[in-house]
Amino acid sequence: MKKLINNPNNVVDEMIEGYVKAYPQYVKQLSENKRSLVTAKETREGKVGVLIGGGSGHEPAFMGYVGDGMADGVAVGNIFASPPPDPILEVTRTIDKGAGVVYVYGNYAGDVMNFGMAADLADLEYGTKVGMVLVTDDVASAPKEEIEKRRGIAGEFFVTKAAGAAAEKGYDLEDVVRVAKKANDHTRTMGVGLTPCSLPQTGKPSFELEENEMEIGLGHHGEPGIEKGELQPADQVAERLVNDILADMPLEQGEKVAVLVNGLGSTTRMELYIMFRRVEQILTEKGIEIHRSYVGDYSTSLEMGGCSVTLIKLDDELTELVDQPADCPMYVQK
């Protein structure tokens, strides 16, 4: 597959260099490690720091969400690979303002290991207290009785939003962790894959689908889904995704949600709005209020075709946090 790159083995560092040059008012690169980015704005003493991170290839996640009301720093890994402990530790040290740091990251083996090591080192070397929030929103990746095994995908956006807003409002470390975990517990995502992505180093498709096939529950790295079958119209796909979410996280009439219809990289806004149209109809028919909606590329998989639907069930506290302003290069909310 064709790509606008130079050296296939240097795409991540060149991407980060370009990103920092494009948004100097938002982010700065730490000198010791090219993979460590922090907010360019001064943060106040006594504020809990929020650190996110993961592999590259999911842009605008994760570095696109460093800014006011979201994360204070990000550690960037290779494509679809966890960042090692060193950049995580460097970001931790930089954003710690005396109140501790919360790590928000997806439930993948490499991330669990490396963020865990960085947290131990932060405590040992700097005395920094770290809270850990593991995102597990992917309904397709494990049954409900094994929810702790689920992957983190697009729902990480809402968990980061809750953590960042809480930290901005002055919550202490324990409470930022609490509301971020509550956001995760209230968030579910289902996705569908239509076409594969390809790694720059190989140029080969990450998985195979026939021209008339789709895969329900496909992971962001091409992990197998729960069902491969004939391509369906958008309305039927939306119904399947929403119904699977509601079977896992039942919602009563009168409850409210925020909705994210997320593109995986090459799916057009036209298609995403067609998907949202049916998602809105389904929820309205069930008497479920959509408090806020988000449509676009929020967490991608290089040039993969497809999309995901995420619902976060809102109580009063989560509603207030989701409504808080945010100002990042890839996401602005007034």
Side-chain angles (χ1 to χ4, degrees):
M1 295 184 181
K2 299 175 182 178
K3 295 184 185 293
L4 286 171
I5 60 174
N6 297 308
N7 182 347
N9 296 313
N10 200 36
V11 291
V12 175
D13 288 338
E14 290 186 349
M15 172 190 70
I16 293 173
E17 181 182 355
Y19 183 80
V20 173
K21 288 180 176 180
Y23 303 110
Q25 72 274 35
Y26 283 104
V27 294
K28 60 183 179 182
Q29 196 169 23
L30 298 179
S31 58
E32 294 179 23
N33 195 307
K34 293 180 179 180
R35 303 297 183 85
S36 304
L37 304 179
V38 298
T39 177
K41 300 178 182 179
E42 201 62 41
T43 54
R44 68 180 185 277
E45 290 298 320
K47 176 188 176 297
V48 172
V50 177
L51 190 157
I52 57 176
S56 301
H58 301 299
E59 291 74 32
F62 300 92
M63 59 187 183
Y65 302 125
V66 172
D68 293 347
M70 291 289 277
D72 299 292
V74 60
V76 183
N78 287 327
I79 295 175
F80 297 168
S82 170
D86 285 351
I88 303 170
L89 186 62
E90 187 180 15
V91 173
T92 304
R93 181 182 62 190
T94 303
I95 68 174
D96 181 17
K97 298 298 182 179
V101 175
V102 175
Y103 293 174
V104 177
Y105 57 95
N107 188 23
Y108 299 91
D111 290 311
V112 171
M113 178 179 69
N114 291 332
F115 279 88
M117 289 176 60
D120 291 341
L121 289 169
D123 185 25
L124 182 67
E125 296 184 14
Y126 311 123
T128 299
K129 299 303 178 187
V130 174
M132 314 278 271
V133 180
L134 204 57
V135 182
T136 56
D137 60 304
D138 186 2
V139 171
S141 56
K144 192 171 184 178
E145 57 271 18
E146 296 179 339
I147 198 167
E148 73 283 353
K149 295 182 180 179
R150 288 180 174 174
R151 301 180 293 242
I153 49 176
E156 191 163 334
F157 169 77
F158 285 129
V159 180
T160 301
K161 181 72 181 71
E168 201 73 48
K169 287 173 67 67
Y171 285 32
D172 64 17
L173 181 65
E174 182 178 334
D175 270 343
V176 174
V177 170
R178 176 186 61 79
V179 296
K181 286 184 174 180
K182 179 164 74 168
N184 179 66
D185 291 343
H186 285 220
T187 299
R188 299 290 189 277
T189 300
M190 276 288 293
V192 59
L194 303 180
T195 58
C197 62
S198 62
L199 298 179
Q201 293 87 343
T202 66
K204 297 179 180 179
S206 55
F207 58 90
E208 292 186 2
L209 281 175
E210 297 299 327
E211 189 65 29
N212 65 336
E213 281 187 322
M214 66 178 188
E215 188 158 1
I216 296 290
L218 191 77
H220 271 199
H221 309 116
E223 299 96 336
I226 57 177
E227 183 181 314
K228 184 184 291 187
E230 187 176 346
L231 181 64
Q232 300 292 322
D235 282 1
Q236 292 182 32
V237 174
E239 288 162 11
R240 174 62 188 275
L241 300 185
V242 173
N243 288 336
D244 280 10
I245 289 172
L246 295 180
D248 195 85
M249 183 180 69
L251 294 168
E252 302 296 330
Q253 184 173 351
E255 290 192 294
K256 62 182 177 181
V257 297
V259 179
L260 167 61
V261 175
N262 171 62
L264 295 182
S266 67
T267 302
T268 64
R269 288 292 184 100
M270 178 187 294
E271 295 163 273
L272 297 179
Y273 286 123
I274 291 171
M275 286 289 293
F276 180 80
R277 164 190 165 274
R278 184 59 185 139
V279 171
E280 187 276 337
Q281 289 173 350
I282 296 167
L283 295 176
T284 299
E285 289 164 4
K286 294 180 179 296
I288 298 166
E289 176 191 346
I290 297 179
H291 179 72
R292 277 189 181 268
S293 55
Y294 304 85
V295 180
D297 288 355
Y298 284 75
S299 183
T300 65
S301 187
L302 295 171
E303 78 276 33
M304 187 183 290
C307 70
S308 61
V309 174
T310 303
L311 302 183
I312 178 171
K313 180 169 63 174
L314 298 175
D315 60 11
D316 289 344
E317 182 176 42
L318 290 175
T319 299
E320 183 181 4
L321 296 174
V322 167
D323 282 345
Q324 287 295 305
D327 186 14
C328 308
M330 299 293 105
Y331 163 58
V332 176
Q333 179 171 293
K334 300 296 186 183

